[in-house]
Amino acid sequence: MEYKMPPGRNRMMNRLARNHLWLLIGCFLLLLIVSSLLCHYYLSDVSSFSVGPVHRSRSKLDHSDDLDHLKSSDLKGQIEELRAIKASVNNELRQLEGKRQQLQVEISKFHIQAESFREEQDSMEKELKQTKLSLEQLKLEQEEIANHFMPVLKAPEKILSSESITDTLSPPKFSSLCRMHSCFDYSRCSLLSGFPVFVYDTSNYFSLLLIDKFIKESVSSAFKSNPYVTTDPLEACVFVVLLGENAAGLNDKDLEQLLTNLPHWNGDGRNHILVNLPRTEKTFDMFGGIRTGRAIIAQSSFVETVFREKFDIVLPPSFSRSDGDSWDELSPLSPIRRKYFASFMGQFWSADNKVFDMNTNLNLPSETFQGRQLHLANDAEELIILETVIVQNLKHMKFTSKDNVFLQFVCDNNMALGFKGEWGLCADGSKRSDILKQSTFALIISPANFSIISTTVFQARLYESLKNGAIPVIIGDYTELPFSEILDWRRAVIALPKPRITELHFFLRTLSDNNIAEYKRHGRMMWETYFGTSKKIITTLLSVLRTRLQIPPIPIADEPSPGVFNTSFVPLTFEPASQGLETDELLGPVEAPFASVKFRENFTSYIHLENYNHPGDPFHLYPFTPFEKVLPSEAKFLGSGYGFRPINKGEGGSGKEFSESLGGDLPREQFTVVMLTYEREAVMISAVQRLKGLPYLNKVIVIWNNPSPPSADLRWPNIRVPVHVIKAAKNSLNNRFLPFDAIETEAILSIDDDAHLRHDEIVFGFRVWREERDRIVGFPGRFHAWDLKNKSWLYNSNYSCELSMVLTGAAFFHKYYAYLYSYVMPQAIRNKVDEYMNCEDIAMNFLVSHITRKPPVKVTSRWTFRCPGCPQTLSNDSSHFEERHHCINFFVTVYGYMPLLYTQFRVDSVLFKTRIPHDKQKCFKFI
């Protein structure tokens, strides 16, 4: 049964339910408010606690019992108070963070200072080590100097004495007995005098004598440019008198009076040189009947009764220009064997000064010379008989041999230039030259009168033979050749006694092509160096006398090299164990870098007459040359150890010991890097930077070829050696080889700024150069090839089994060759380099091969260099190779032959791919 609630009670229950609901809602809202306040309080309290204990006033919120009494205004104030507390805490946190950062900065500074102190300590330890090493080296050098005689290794200095000169000479009984010790006053020419020469003004003293205009002007010009000439006669060592033909018909007494009236003749003409330089074949001996006293006579014509051996001087005729290069007057040396095997043109002058026709003379037996006692022929018949025998034998050689021989014993229209007793020249000089240019040998018959040792005609034949590339064959070995005191004529001339006329052809046939080529080459060198111009003749004349007096030549001049722009002169920092890039413990030397010893042969250079008989420059003294004398191996240990640093004190060794010995087993020295740059600043800076730490490097020379200066912000890297930047006078590739005075070492490493070489490659190349000092030693190989079609030479850069050139873009060479390239090599070659802006490397290879007759030395397998990031280079020009073809052929024309030589030789390291003990180090691991 269902129960029903009364209506009134039901309404009451509904009202109560609604009241309870509102009460619950109110309680819930109150709970939310209280919980929010408590959370904010506790969060603030926790934040404050994390920072540190903070003393604060007690809040009403600490007591839950007070929450009921909390008003909204109090709650807002409390919140503001909490915000202030938070802001205060944040400020304190920021201050603490700032202090922490300051402490960290100070700590970093202390770390930097500590590192600086450590570096300073290392530096001081290195300096101390270097100082100790320097002291050891000084002690060693002092010991060397104390135990051994040390020569004066410097250029001669000019020291003149102001004291009066006394007559210490004992006059000879006759002037014909004059020799240097009896007729020359040495007291005026000390070793330190500098060889001052005073030249008389011919217009003031010899107006009555006719001097050829060319001779007068050219000789005067030669003396004016000569470094030994002085205008002060009081300091003069010798006095030069230039004479000519006796045009006024003065008698011997008048000529003698002219000489004795010279202001410095001093009664007997001591220290005077009477120069009679011939210009034509008609020049005669003007001193035959004149008393010249103690004066030295220099001319072409001499008779035995006048010529005083090692006192008077035989001169060549001056038929060429006054000065300058003379290569364009010379004939090429090739072909080695020419159309005519031998040639002769001339006509005999009898004793009565009549031209004699040998073709009309009676036939004499060819055995006339055999068993015949040759003597002074005084009568015409004897002269003719002797010369007829020579002619008959020459004709016999012509008609019996298979060789083509050109002989002419009668001149056209009987026009022969000469004097009695000699073979006169046929008047047509151009025809003589044409025949000589086609002749392998040029026959020169000495004067029939044996008392005549030289005539102008005889000297003219010799002069023309050398000039036209025909080997002079002198029949009659009693003649005197020009400058024979210093020149070794055996290298250029064949001289046979007249009794050997029957064996002449046999003897000449024994000469191989190699011998013939060397005779021609040496004869050309002698003509070009000593006979080619009037200036060279005068220079050689003075050199003969200077050599007699043991006075050295003047030192060669270095090219000034003032530093310009913002050059970085870095103080030299020595690091005995500098590392090379990409090397295997490549150690440097144990000594600091220093310059090469200069002028090893200063006052003793006159001893070596080889200087006069070798291509180069015999007229100057060089600080060093690549032709060094070699001592026996034991000498450096037994009395001659100065300057030597044997490897491991002589015990030898592998890589480590090898690298520590500066210069190895030869006198100590480093090398200088020379770079030439043009509009490639970044490339150049990178190239210099790569040299940092390079062993044996003494200095870096940068030749600034760009006409505009470098940028203002350009800074040169510190590579621990000086970097010297030189502003070139003009943009020329020849500047690469200027002998700058800043280059103090013998060895020069010429390197392009885009050539990338490892340090071990450079050091290896330097080591090889030290054993081949007279050659170019480098990396890129090239060769000259024969053009079959055009019969000329081509430049070739292809890979080949042989080479003849090493490019100077990465090569070592001796500074001596820089002097020769800039001052001695024909100017035409340097002009061609400037014209093409090319070929300077080819020119240097030509020069060195011409001097040494050796090919260059190639090291390692490198054949070329690549620089993909570099700007445009000269070698990328399409005309580059065509110009190099032209250069080679032009240089051959200048030299008269091709001096380059082929080689299949390449140098690699000794211990490369060699197994050695683990405790040893290879010399060059990658080479």
Side-chain angles (χ1 to χ4, degrees):
M1 180 173 164
E2 183 179 357
Y3 175 76
K4 293 184 179 180
M5 182 176 291
R9 190 173 180 175
N10 190 20
R11 287 194 297 267
M12 185 181 295
M13 291 299 291
N14 291 336
R15 190 181 296 116
L16 289 173
R18 286 196 296 269
N19 292 335
H20 282 292
L21 179 61
W22 284 109
L23 182 60
L24 289 173
I25 292 174
C27 292
F28 181 73
L29 291 175
L30 181 62
L31 182 62
L32 286 175
I33 293 172
V34 173
S35 61
S36 298
L37 294 174
L38 290 175
C39 288
H40 181 269
Y41 170 77
Y42 281 110
L43 288 175
S44 300
D45 187 64
V46 171
S47 176
S48 301
F49 180 77
S50 63
V51 175
V54 179
H55 298 280
R56 55 183 179 82
S57 61
R58 187 173 180 86
S59 174
K60 294 181 178 180
L61 294 177
D62 289 341
H63 301 280
S64 58
D65 297 341
D66 298 336
L67 292 176
D68 295 338
H69 305 282
L70 188 64
K71 296 182 180 179
S72 59
S73 59
D74 295 336
L75 183 60
K76 182 177 180 181
Q78 187 66 32
I79 292 173
E80 293 295 333
E81 181 182 357
L82 291 175
R83 287 178 177 175
I85 294 173
K86 179 181 179 182
S88 176
V89 170
N90 289 337
N91 290 334
E92 292 181 3
L93 287 174
R94 281 192 293 270
Q95 293 175 359
L96 291 175
E97 180 64 20
K99 292 180 180 180
R100 185 181 67 84
Q101 292 178 356
Q102 290 178 357
L103 291 174
Q104 288 180 344
V105 170
E106 292 179 359
I107 293 173
S108 299
K109 290 182 179 180
F110 289 141
H111 281 301
I112 294 175
Q113 291 180 357
E115 185 66 25
S116 175
F117 289 147
R118 280 193 295 268
E119 292 179 357
E120 185 177 356
Q121 180 183 2
D122 294 340
S123 176
M124 294 179 66
E125 289 178 354
K126 289 181 179 180
E127 291 180 2
L128 179 61
K129 183 178 180 180
Q130 180 181 353
T131 303
K132 291 181 179 179
L133 184 59
S134 299
L135 289 175
E136 293 177 1
Q137 295 302 322
L138 288 174
K139 291 179 180 179
L140 180 60
E141 293 179 7
Q142 183 179 8
E143 181 180 354
E144 290 175 340
I145 295 174
N147 296 336
H148 306 287
F149 171 75
M150 293 305 302
V152 181
L153 299 178
K154 64 177 182 179
E157 298 177 357
K158 187 174 182 179
I159 303 176
L160 298 176
S161 175
S162 59
E163 299 178 359
S164 61
I165 304 299
T166 58
D167 188 358
T168 59
L169 294 176
S170 56
K173 193 171 184 179
F174 302 102
S175 62
S176 60
L177 301 178
C178 266
R179 297 296 183 267
M180 290 296 293
H181 66 273
S182 60
C183 290
F184 193 88
D185 187 358
Y186 280 84
S187 62
R188 295 190 65 93
C189 304
S190 73
L191 293 176
L192 301 175
S193 65
F195 190 61
V197 177
F198 178 80
V199 182
Y200 285 98
D201 186 352
T202 57
S203 60
N204 295 336
Y205 302 104
F206 303 100
S207 57
L208 296 179
L209 295 178
L210 177 63
I211 301 177
D212 181 86
K213 181 179 180 181
F214 173 83
I215 293 295
K216 184 176 181 179
E217 293 179 354
S218 62
V219 172
S220 299
S221 176
F223 279 121
K224 286 180 181 179
S225 61
N226 194 286
Y228 301 106
V229 173
T230 178
T231 57
D232 185 4
L234 298 179
E235 71 171 12
C237 167
V238 296
F239 302 84
V240 176
V241 182
L242 180 62
L243 300 172
E245 297 180 2
N246 186 5
L250 299 177
N251 56 37
D252 294 346
K253 184 177 181 180
D254 293 334
L255 288 177
E256 288 181 12
Q257 189 65 35
L258 288 177
L259 294 176
T260 55
N261 288 338
L262 292 175
H264 309 290
W265 187 257
N266 292 329
D268 56 8
R270 68 184 65 179
N271 293 35
H272 279 64
I273 307 177
L274 307 181
V275 180
N276 181 20
L277 189 62
R279 177 63 175 170
T280 66
E281 296 86 349
K282 297 181 180 180
T283 304
F284 57 94
D285 180 9
M286 67 179 301
F287 304 113
I290 301 176
R291 289 182 295 180
T292 57
R294 294 176 174 175
I296 299 172
I297 299 175
Q299 62 181 7
S300 294
S301 298
F302 277 105
V303 294
E304 191 176 28
T305 56
V306 174
F307 181 73
R308 296 162 292 186
E309 188 176 3
K310 294 186 178 180
F311 191 75
D312 295 328
I313 302 173
V314 177
L315 297 180
S318 180
F319 295 156
S320 191
R321 62 188 64 175
S322 61
D323 194 8
D325 293 338
S326 52
W327 59 268
D328 53 342
E329 298 184 45
L330 299 170
S331 299
L333 303 186
S334 297
I336 301 301
R337 294 188 182 271
R338 299 175 175 177
K339 177 181 178 180
Y340 299 118
F341 178 75
S343 67
F344 178 81
M345 293 179 63
Q347 192 160 349
F348 186 70
W349 282 80
S350 64
D352 54 358
N353 279 343
K354 293 183 179 180
V355 178
F356 188 80
D357 186 356
M358 284 291 178
N359 294 328
T360 63
N361 192 46
L362 297 176
N363 292 329
L364 297 175
S366 60
E367 295 81 7
T368 302
F369 265 137
Q370 298 180 5
R372 185 183 184 90
Q373 182 66 35
L374 299 180
H375 59 279
L376 181 63
N378 295 319
D379 56 82
E381 182 180 355
E382 183 72 12
L383 292 175
I384 294 174
I385 291 176
L386 297 181
E387 299 307 304
T388 302
V389 173
I390 295 176
V391 170
Q392 286 189 345
N393 280 275
L394 293 179
K395 289 181 178 180
H396 180 74
M397 177 182 72
K398 176 180 180 180
F399 294 115
T400 59
S401 68
K402 297 180 180 179
D403 297 312
N404 188 6
V405 179
F406 181 89
L407 297 175
Q408 181 180 342
F409 298 111
V410 178
C411 296
D412 299 336
N413 301 323
N414 285 337
M415 295 295 293
L417 297 175
F419 302 98
K420 63 180 182 178
E422 72 172 336
W423 288 86
L425 290 170
C426 293
D428 192 351
S430 60
K431 184 177 180 181
R432 295 198 306 267
S433 296
D434 291 340
I435 296 300
L436 289 173
K437 290 177 181 179
Q438 302 178 67
S439 304
T440 304
F441 300 99
L443 303 180
I444 303 176
I445 304 176
S446 301
N449 191 336
F450 294 170
S451 66
I452 301 177
I453 63 175
S454 179
T455 66
T456 305
V457 171
F458 174 83
Q459 298 295 342
R461 288 189 182 276
L462 176 65
Y463 178 94
E464 290 179 350
S465 300
L466 297 175
K467 179 179 179 180
N468 293 286
I471 301 175
V473 180
I474 301 176
I475 304 173
D477 58 352
Y478 50 84
T479 53
E480 189 73 21
L481 301 183
F483 307 131
S484 58
E485 193 171 333
I486 60 174
L487 301 184
D488 186 1
W489 281 102
R490 295 172 298 177
R491 299 186 181 187
V493 170
I494 299 173
L496 293 175
K498 286 187 175 181
R500 293 288 186 192
I501 188 63
T502 57
E503 301 173 293
L504 175 63
H505 181 255
F506 170 78
F507 181 83
L508 296 181
R509 291 294 294 172
T510 63
L511 295 174
S512 65
D513 289 353
N514 304 69
N515 297 136
I516 294 174
E518 188 59 23
Y519 270 110
K520 287 186 175 183
R521 192 181 73 88
H522 201 82
R524 179 187 174 102
M525 182 275 295
M526 294 175 73
W527 190 94
E528 195 171 7
T529 306
Y530 306 111
F531 308 148
T533 64
S534 299
K535 180 179 180 179
K536 292 177 180 178
I537 294 175
I538 295 300
T539 302
T540 308
L541 169 64
L542 296 180
S543 296
V544 171
L545 187 57
R546 179 182 51 76
T547 303
R548 287 181 185 176
L549 300 174
Q550 300 87 36
I551 299 177
I554 60 172
I556 193 70
D558 280 305
E559 192 73 17
S561 51
V564 294
F565 304 134
N566 51 343
T567 305
S568 174
F569 291 96
V570 183
L572 201 59
T573 302
F574 172 61
E575 295 191 2
S578 58
Q579 289 264 349
L581 300 179
E582 303 178 28
T583 62
D584 185 28
E585 299 181 6
L586 183 65
L587 299 179
V590 296
E591 293 180 271
F594 55 91
S596 299
V597 178
K598 296 183 178 181
F599 298 103
R600 288 192 290 264
E601 295 178 355
N602 41 22
F603 291 96
T604 59
S605 61
Y606 77 95
I607 299 175
H608 312 294
L609 296 181
E610 180 66 21
N611 296 338
Y612 290 103
N613 297 282
H614 192 276
D617 176 21
F619 304 122
H620 291 89
L621 183 67
Y622 287 84
F624 25 59
T625 69
F627 312 109
E628 184 175 295
K629 282 78 177 175
V630 180
L631 287 171
S633 295
E634 72 275 7
K636 61 183 68 68
F637 305 108
L638 301 175
S640 300
Y642 178 77
F644 286 89
R645 297 296 180 267
I647 297 175
N648 200 14
K649 298 182 179 180
E651 296 182 2
S654 57
K656 182 177 183 297
E657 297 81 9
F658 187 81
S659 298
E660 288 178 349
S661 298
L662 181 63
D665 207 28
L666 292 174
R668 301 166 293 170
E669 143 185 324
Q670 286 76 42
F671 62 89
T672 302
V673 167
V674 176
M675 289 186 183
L676 187 146
T677 186
Y678 183 85
E679 293 186 348
R680 300 202 301 191
E681 293 184 3
V683 175
M684 170 56 66
I685 293 299
S686 178
V688 174
Q689 180 63 44
R690 288 195 298 271
L691 299 175
K692 183 176 182 179
L694 176 61
Y696 306 103
L697 179 59
N698 182 276
K699 187 182 298 182
V700 176
I701 304 293
V702 177
I703 304 173
W704 194 270
N705 251 19
N706 192 356
S708 60
S711 57
D713 58 346
L714 181 63
R715 293 295 179 268
W716 297 90
N718 185 348
I719 60 173
R720 296 196 283 271
V721 297
V723 178
H724 195 131
V725 182
I726 301 172
K727 175 65 171 66
K730 66 175 182 178
N731 181 20
S732 172
L733 294 179
N734 291 316
N735 296 334
R736 179 194 293 270
F737 302 127
L738 285 172
F740 293 108
D741 54 11
I743 303 175
E744 299 177 326
T745 60
E746 296 182 46
I748 296 176
L749 173 58
S750 173
I751 188 169
D752 289 339
D753 52 11
D754 57 358
H756 291 249
L757 285 175
R758 302 196 313 266
H759 284 198
D760 60 337
E761 292 176 315
I762 296 176
V763 173
F764 175 68
F766 176 62
R767 286 287 187 176
V768 173
W769 177 87
R770 293 197 61 85
E771 300 180 23
E772 301 288 349
R773 306 168 68 86
D774 60 337
R775 301 162 80 174
I776 297 177
V777 176
F779 299 87
R782 301 291 186 267
F783 66 98
H784 63 294
W786 183 249
D787 186 355
L788 295 175
K789 180 179 178 181
N790 299 313
K791 304 299 181 182
S792 60
W793 292 107
L794 296 174
Y795 172 84
N796 202 312
S797 62
N798 295 330
Y799 293 98
S800 173
C801 292
E802 62 182 4
L803 57 95
S804 59
M805 291 177 280
V806 166
L807 302 188
T808 54
F812 287 92
F813 64 88
H814 200 284
K815 187 181 178 182
Y816 175 74
Y817 297 124
Y819 291 112
L820 297 187
Y821 184 100
S822 302
Y823 304 146
V824 180
M825 187 181 69
Q827 180 64 37
I829 296 180
R830 293 189 292 273
N831 293 342
K832 184 63 66 174
V833 170
D834 287 335
E835 176 186 349
Y836 285 152
M837 204 64 180
N838 198 345
C839 307
E840 85 288 355
D841 46 2
I842 301 177
M844 178 58 83
N845 276 270
F846 265 69
L847 173 66
V848 177
S849 293
H850 170 67
I851 297 296
T852 64
R853 303 304 299 130
K854 296 179 182 179
V857 177
K858 173 172 171 48
V859 293
T860 77
S861 60
R862 281 187 180 267
W863 195 261
T864 187
F865 297 100
R866 303 293 182 189
C867 189
C870 294
Q872 182 76 11
T873 61
L874 293 174
S875 59
N876 291 333
D877 192 345
S878 58
S879 62
H880 175 75
F881 281 90
E882 191 66 29
E883 292 172 351
R884 293 172 87 79
H885 299 328
H886 291 308
C887 284
I888 284 186
N889 288 283
F890 177 74
F891 296 165
V892 169
T893 302
V894 174
Y895 281 98
Y897 75 110
M898 168 54 78
L900 298 180
L901 299 173
Y902 294 107
T903 180
Q904 300 178 20
F905 181 68
R906 192 185 82 191
V907 181
D908 291 326
S909 176
V910 174
L911 295 181
F912 180 58
K913 292 187 176 180
T914 301
R915 293 185 178 182
I916 62 175
H918 65 86
D919 60 338
K920 298 294 183 181
Q921 175 185 318
K922 290 187 177 182
C923 301
F924 300 96
K925 182 177 180 180
F926 304 105
I927 299 176

